[in-house]
Amino acid sequence: IQFSGAPPFEFTLAIDGVPQPAMLSTGSTFELLATAPGTYTVASVADATGCAGTGSGSAQASLLGAPAISAISTACDNSNAFYTVSFSISGGDTASYAVAGTPGALMPGQPYTFTSVELPSGAPYSFDVSDANACAQASISGAFSCECTAQAGSMGAAPIN
C-alpha cells in the first residue's frame, strides 16, 4: 500500500467489503501479508495531521495450503529384490514442489506424482515434500519388504530309495 501525506497513517482495510480493525503504518509504504482469501481494498486512511481520505485500487488474495501426500503405493520388481514408492502430491504451489530424502522423479500432472528410485527390499524410505511458500512440509517414511517368490513345495512321507 502506498500512502501520501504525513506519517504515521491509520487505515482500515475491507476484505470482500467487510471492514477490518484499523491498522497503523509508520512509513509511506506498507506491505500486507494476507491471512484470508478475498478482495482487499483500503476503506479509509488518515495521516498524522488528521487529513482523511479513501483508497483506490484493490488486490485479490488467494491462499494456498501446504502440500499434501496421498495415494501412497509400493511396487516390487520381477525378482522381488527391489521396490519403488509412489505417491501423489496436491495443494501448495505446484510450480515449486521439492521432494527431499530418498531420490526419485517428480512428474507434473493433476495431481503431481513422485516415484522413488529402486530400493532394496526391506530398506527404509523417507520423503519430505515442500514448496516455495514454506508452509508446513508433508512427510512420509517407512520400509517395505517384497514377498518371497520361491516356494518349497511339498514332499510325500514315503522314503526315497
Side-chain angles (χ1 to χ4, degrees), residues 13-20 36-42 58-61:
L13 295 176
I15 303 173
D16 292 331
V18 178
Q20 304 298 304
T39 302
Y40 285 67
T41 56
V42 177
S58 64
Q60 181 67 39

Side-chain angles (χ1 to χ4, degrees), residues 127-138:
F127 305 99
D128 296 316
V129 178
S130 60
D131 67 6
N133 294 325
C135 292
Q137 68 182 15

Side-chain angles (χ1 to χ4, degrees), residues 141-156:
S141 62
F144 184 78
S145 294
C146 298
E147 292 186 21
C148 183
T149 57
Q151 294 184 7
S154 61
M155 179 189 249

Side-chain angles (χ1 to χ4, degrees), residues 69 87 98-102 126-130 137-141:
I69 296 172
F87 54 86
V99 180
T102 306
S126 177
F127 305 99
D128 296 316
V129 178
S130 60
Q137 68 182 15
S139 300
I140 60 169
S141 62

Side-chain angles (χ1 to χ4, degrees), residues 54-145:
T54 58
S56 63
S58 64
Q60 181 67 39
S62 299
L63 299 181
L64 300 173
I69 296 172
S70 62
I72 303 164
S73 65
T74 54
C76 296
D77 69 352
N78 290 338
S79 69
N80 282 349
F82 296 92
Y83 74 100
T84 57
V85 178
S86 296
F87 54 86
S88 297
I89 307 171
S90 59
D93 177 18
T94 58
S96 66
Y97 282 157
V99 180
T102 306
L106 181 62
M107 300 300 295
Q110 292 298 329
Y112 274 59
T113 303
F114 180 86
T115 302
S116 73
V117 296
E118 287 191 330
L119 302 166
S121 181
Y125 62 83
S126 177
F127 305 99
D128 296 316
V129 178
S130 60
D131 67 6
N133 294 325
C135 292
Q137 68 182 15
S139 300
I140 60 169
S141 62
F144 184 78
S145 294

